[in-house]
Amino acid sequence: MQLYLPIAELSLNLFMLVGLGGAVGFLSGLFGVGGGFLLTPMLIFSGIPAPVAVASVTGQVVAASTSGALSYWRRGGIDLKLALFLIVSGVCGAFLGVWTFGQLRSAGQLDLVISLGYLIFLGSIGTLMLIEAVRSIIKHRQQGDSRPTKLPGKHNWVHGLPFRVRFKRSNLYVSIFPVILIGGGIGFLGSLLGIGGGFILVPALIYLLRVPGSIVIGTSLLQVLAIMAATTILHAVNSQTVDIVLAFTLMTGSVIGAQFGVSAGQYLRGDQLRALLALIVLAVAVRFALSLLLTPSDPFSVAVLSSVGGG
Amino acid sequence: MMRLLLALFTLAVMTVQASAQRLVMSTSEPVVSISSNFAGDTITIFGTIEPDIGFEHDQVTNNYNIVISIKGPAGTYVARKKTHQYGIWLNGEQEAFEGFPSYFALVSSAPLEKIADAGVLSVNGLAFDSSPHIRPVRRTQNTDVFAQQLIRLMKKRGLYSLDEHGVQFLSDTFFSARIALPAHVPNGTYLANTYVFQNGELIDNAPQRFTVRTVGFERFVANSAKEYSLIYGVVCVILAIFTGWLSGVVFRR
């Protein structure tokens, strides 16, 4: 059954879209990430124009983050003060990201930056995650118990910076600079690449700020939710590329898929999950690396600069 | 049928040509509506070649050839070429073209080179690369190459098409053609221009407009996104939060 997408101005199979949302939702439920980094490239591959894909996925990520954020909120797994700092800096980053998005689009280098961005960030995060997870799995085998990997020390160089703020819920007393930098960076990348950024934010909060594991997922979900909500509105106003029909179809699939993902996640250990997620992240990075390194089958591409007459 | 009769009448009044023949034509649908299950559409163009007022019917001789061009709304298009720099492939050169049709179909009753000279066809805009359609923003030595590539890419997307046997003559003077509009045709006003050739010479032409536009809910969505973009964005976010909340309630996470 074909579904016409009024903003993308093309028809796609309804079941394919719901299925795509469902598959990505399954993964996001399994790993606790938004799944934007998988969904956006897949939509572009399906023929949806990159600007529409990026902007509509931000709407989908909002829905995917909401149910998770709510359940963590009920369990008290959110540090509101930390989230607020991350959100305020993140919205500033998102403003910059949406502006850069428009500039690159008219310069014809948006594809390159998206490819490079995905390659660098997914590649480095994926590699780090994989190393960490494999180490943890090996340790688990040797010791035979399932103790969580202990982080080396409570403090690192980040904790020596000035302008410290106390985050009671996270049991942290840390400089606001790394917090603002992380928040702003995620907001910038998220709006530019059409990703929630949870998979970058979670490791950054754990490894740089030493936020406790019980708080980190809920807080990052709330941050992603707020930033993506702001980005959706920014894209809607700035480029009018948010396709509500596409976003709604994707989010319907993804919230259902996420439920199965959560159940499936209970059968896997944390380190195995992280290794699996790292492999998926790396696969997407490799896919982008190939598109940059291999001789393109068609060196020419076409883009519409000023939109054709409405009606 | 009423529409055809009306079109015949209107054009009969409008068309004043020196030649002995004149063309009357119409399209099957003045408005192609895009609704939620739109998967492309086929539009039929039909017409007849009539003797002009004051001429007898037997003065209308045969050997007609028809070429129909259907052009969608124009926009500024840019063709880009990837080049190998710093070890990676990135968009290097680019050429922008103004007033480039977003949709272009050429349908004819015979292979184009048998109907008329390339020059005659080109002057009338009956070639994808004829001068009316190729208006580079800045002309360089590569303009022609990029124009050809742009046309090739548009063909690949199904937005440019050539069907040299698409016009059928149902009698000596009555013809019809079916033109497929793919699911991703842009919205806007389309111009269908029908040209009658006889022995390599253009003897008459007649334009006909039709509109491709979204209707109902899809139209409402597209308009809201343009005119009330802030409210539209807020509604998207509320919808997303509501969907996420609902799923949390339904599945009791």
Short mmCIF file of all heavy atoms in Angstrom, two decimals, chain A residues 132-133 135-137 139-140 143 145-155 206-207 210-213 271 274:
data_model
loop_
_atom_site.label_atom_id
_atom_site.label_comp_id
_atom_site.label_asym_id
_atom_site.label_seq_id
_atom_site.Cartn_x
_atom_site.Cartn_y
_atom_site.Cartn_z
N GLU A 132 35.97 -1.31 24.71
CA GLU A 132 35.51 -1.36 26.09
C GLU A 132 34.69 -2.63 26.34
O GLU A 132 34.88 -3.33 27.33
CB GLU A 132 34.68 -0.10 26.38
CG GLU A 132 34.30 0.10 27.82
CD GLU A 132 32.99 -0.58 28.16
OE1 GLU A 132 32.14 -0.77 27.28
OE2 GLU A 132 32.83 -0.93 29.34
N ALA A 133 33.77 -2.92 25.40
CA ALA A 133 32.88 -4.06 25.59
C ALA A 133 33.64 -5.37 25.54
O ALA A 133 33.39 -6.29 26.34
CB ALA A 133 31.78 -4.04 24.52
N ARG A 135 36.83 -5.88 26.22
CA ARG A 135 37.59 -5.97 27.47
C ARG A 135 36.71 -6.49 28.60
O ARG A 135 37.09 -7.37 29.37
CB ARG A 135 38.12 -4.59 27.86
CG ARG A 135 39.55 -4.38 27.44
CD ARG A 135 40.07 -3.12 28.12
NE ARG A 135 41.15 -2.56 27.34
CZ ARG A 135 41.45 -1.28 27.31
NH1 ARG A 135 40.74 -0.41 27.99
NH2 ARG A 135 42.46 -0.86 26.59
N SER A 136 35.51 -5.90 28.67
CA SER A 136 34.58 -6.26 29.73
C SER A 136 34.14 -7.71 29.60
O SER A 136 34.02 -8.43 30.59
CB SER A 136 33.39 -5.31 29.67
OG SER A 136 32.31 -5.82 30.34
N ILE A 137 33.95 -8.16 28.36
CA ILE A 137 33.55 -9.56 28.14
C ILE A 137 34.67 -10.49 28.57
O ILE A 137 34.44 -11.51 29.23
CB ILE A 137 33.16 -9.78 26.66
CG1 ILE A 137 31.83 -9.07 26.35
CG2 ILE A 137 33.05 -11.26 26.34
CD1 ILE A 137 31.43 -9.08 24.90
N LYS A 139 37.07 -9.89 30.71
CA LYS A 139 37.18 -9.85 32.17
C LYS A 139 36.09 -10.72 32.80
O LYS A 139 36.33 -11.47 33.75
CB LYS A 139 37.04 -8.40 32.65
CG LYS A 139 37.65 -8.16 34.02
CD LYS A 139 37.53 -6.70 34.40
CE LYS A 139 38.71 -5.88 33.92
NZ LYS A 139 38.56 -4.46 34.25
N HIS A 140 34.91 -10.62 32.22
CA HIS A 140 33.77 -11.39 32.71
C HIS A 140 34.06 -12.89 32.63
O HIS A 140 33.78 -13.65 33.54
CB HIS A 140 32.54 -11.05 31.86
CG HIS A 140 31.33 -11.84 32.21
ND1 HIS A 140 30.45 -11.47 33.20
CD2 HIS A 140 30.85 -13.01 31.70
CE1 HIS A 140 29.49 -12.36 33.27
NE2 HIS A 140 29.70 -13.30 32.38
N GLN A 143 36.85 -13.72 35.33
CA GLN A 143 36.42 -13.67 36.72
C GLN A 143 35.20 -14.54 36.98
O GLN A 143 34.99 -15.01 38.09
CB GLN A 143 36.11 -12.23 37.13
CG GLN A 143 37.35 -11.35 37.11
CD GLN A 143 37.02 -9.91 37.41
OE1 GLN A 143 35.85 -9.55 37.45
NE2 GLN A 143 38.05 -9.10 37.59
N ASP A 145 32.20 -13.63 37.18
CA ASP A 145 31.07 -12.96 37.82
C ASP A 145 30.64 -11.77 36.96
O ASP A 145 31.33 -11.38 36.03
CB ASP A 145 31.41 -12.53 39.25
CG ASP A 145 32.44 -11.43 39.26
OD1 ASP A 145 33.11 -11.24 38.21
OD2 ASP A 145 32.61 -10.77 40.27
N SER A 146 29.48 -11.25 37.27
CA SER A 146 28.92 -10.22 36.40
C SER A 146 28.96 -8.84 37.05
O SER A 146 28.04 -8.07 36.93
CB SER A 146 27.48 -10.59 36.02
OG SER A 146 26.72 -10.73 37.20
N ARG A 147 30.07 -8.56 37.75
CA ARG A 147 30.19 -7.23 38.33
C ARG A 147 30.38 -6.21 37.21
O ARG A 147 31.10 -6.47 36.24
CB ARG A 147 31.40 -7.18 39.27
CG ARG A 147 31.00 -7.47 40.73
CD ARG A 147 32.16 -7.16 41.64
NE ARG A 147 33.35 -7.88 41.23
CZ ARG A 147 34.58 -7.43 41.41
NH1 ARG A 147 34.77 -6.25 41.97
NH2 ARG A 147 35.63 -8.14 41.04
N PRO A 148 29.75 -5.05 37.34
CA PRO A 148 29.96 -4.03 36.31
C PRO A 148 31.42 -3.57 36.32
O PRO A 148 32.05 -3.52 37.38
CB PRO A 148 29.02 -2.90 36.72
CG PRO A 148 28.76 -3.11 38.18
CD PRO A 148 28.87 -4.58 38.42
N THR A 149 31.92 -3.24 35.13
CA THR A 149 33.31 -2.80 35.04
C THR A 149 33.49 -1.53 35.86
O THR A 149 32.74 -0.57 35.71
CB THR A 149 33.71 -2.51 33.58
OG1 THR A 149 32.61 -1.85 32.96
CG2 THR A 149 34.05 -3.76 32.85
N LYS A 150 34.51 -1.54 36.70
CA LYS A 150 34.74 -0.39 37.56
C LYS A 150 35.53 0.65 36.80
O LYS A 150 36.50 0.35 36.11
CB LYS A 150 35.54 -0.84 38.79
CG LYS A 150 35.35 0.08 39.98
CD LYS A 150 35.79 -0.63 41.26
CE LYS A 150 35.86 0.35 42.40
NZ LYS A 150 37.17 0.96 42.53
N LEU A 151 35.06 1.88 36.88
CA LEU A 151 35.77 2.93 36.18
C LEU A 151 37.04 3.29 36.95
O LEU A 151 37.03 3.33 38.18
CB LEU A 151 34.88 4.17 36.05
CG LEU A 151 33.68 3.95 35.14
CD1 LEU A 151 32.70 5.10 35.26
CD2 LEU A 151 34.12 3.81 33.69
N PRO A 152 38.12 3.58 36.23
CA PRO A 152 39.38 3.86 36.91
C PRO A 152 39.32 5.20 37.64
O PRO A 152 39.43 6.27 37.02
CB PRO A 152 40.41 3.89 35.78
CG PRO A 152 39.61 4.20 34.56
CD PRO A 152 38.24 3.65 34.79
N GLY A 153 39.07 5.16 38.92
CA GLY A 153 39.07 6.39 39.73
C GLY A 153 37.80 7.20 39.56
O GLY A 153 37.08 7.07 38.59
N LYS A 154 37.53 8.05 40.50
CA LYS A 154 36.32 8.86 40.47
C LYS A 154 36.58 10.18 39.74
O LYS A 154 35.67 10.81 39.24
CB LYS A 154 35.87 9.11 41.91
CG LYS A 154 34.50 9.69 42.07
CD LYS A 154 33.40 8.64 41.93
CE LYS A 154 32.03 9.29 42.01
NZ LYS A 154 31.03 8.61 41.22
N HIS A 155 37.82 10.56 39.67
CA HIS A 155 38.15 11.86 39.09
C HIS A 155 39.13 11.72 37.93
O HIS A 155 39.94 10.81 37.88
CB HIS A 155 38.77 12.78 40.14
CG HIS A 155 37.76 13.27 41.12
ND1 HIS A 155 37.18 12.45 42.07
CD2 HIS A 155 37.21 14.49 41.30
CE1 HIS A 155 36.33 13.16 42.78
NE2 HIS A 155 36.32 14.40 42.34
N ILE A 206 29.48 9.24 30.90
CA ILE A 206 30.08 8.20 31.75
C ILE A 206 31.58 8.43 31.90
O ILE A 206 32.12 8.49 33.00
CB ILE A 206 29.81 6.80 31.19
CG1 ILE A 206 28.31 6.47 31.28
CG2 ILE A 206 30.62 5.74 31.95
CD1 ILE A 206 27.93 5.15 30.66
N TYR A 207 32.27 8.59 30.75
CA TYR A 207 33.73 8.59 30.78
C TYR A 207 34.32 9.94 31.13
O TYR A 207 35.37 10.02 31.76
CB TYR A 207 34.30 8.08 29.44
CG TYR A 207 33.93 6.66 29.18
CD1 TYR A 207 33.01 6.33 28.19
CD2 TYR A 207 34.48 5.62 29.95
CE1 TYR A 207 32.66 5.01 27.96
CE2 TYR A 207 34.13 4.31 29.73
CZ TYR A 207 33.22 4.01 28.73
OH TYR A 207 32.87 2.72 28.53
N ARG A 210 31.82 11.16 34.60
CA ARG A 210 31.64 10.13 35.64
C ARG A 210 30.24 10.18 36.25
O ARG A 210 30.08 10.09 37.47
CB ARG A 210 32.68 10.29 36.75
CG ARG A 210 34.12 10.22 36.25
CD ARG A 210 34.54 8.78 36.09
NE ARG A 210 35.98 8.69 35.82
CZ ARG A 210 36.47 8.48 34.60
NH1 ARG A 210 35.67 8.35 33.56
NH2 ARG A 210 37.77 8.37 34.42
N VAL A 211 29.23 10.37 35.41
CA VAL A 211 27.84 10.33 35.87
C VAL A 211 27.50 8.86 36.17
O VAL A 211 27.82 7.98 35.38
CB VAL A 211 26.88 10.90 34.79
CG1 VAL A 211 25.43 10.80 35.24
CG2 VAL A 211 27.24 12.33 34.47
N PRO A 212 26.86 8.59 37.32
CA PRO A 212 26.56 7.19 37.66
C PRO A 212 25.64 6.53 36.64
O PRO A 212 24.77 7.18 36.05
CB PRO A 212 25.85 7.30 39.01
CG PRO A 212 26.08 8.67 39.49
CD PRO A 212 26.43 9.52 38.34
N GLY A 213 25.81 5.24 36.46
CA GLY A 213 25.07 4.48 35.45
C GLY A 213 23.56 4.53 35.63
O GLY A 213 22.82 4.49 34.65
N ASP A 271 27.48 -5.96 28.62
CA ASP A 271 28.68 -5.86 27.77
C ASP A 271 28.44 -6.45 26.39
O ASP A 271 28.96 -5.96 25.40
CB ASP A 271 29.90 -6.49 28.46
CG ASP A 271 29.60 -7.86 29.04
OD1 ASP A 271 28.53 -8.40 28.72
OD2 ASP A 271 30.44 -8.39 29.79
N ARG A 274 26.57 -3.86 24.45
CA ARG A 274 27.43 -2.77 24.00
C ARG A 274 28.30 -3.20 22.83
O ARG A 274 28.52 -2.43 21.89
CB ARG A 274 28.28 -2.25 25.16
CG ARG A 274 27.47 -1.46 26.18
CD ARG A 274 28.36 -0.57 27.04
NE ARG A 274 29.33 -1.33 27.82
CZ ARG A 274 29.05 -1.92 28.99
NH1 ARG A 274 27.83 -1.84 29.49
NH2 ARG A 274 29.97 -2.58 29.64
#
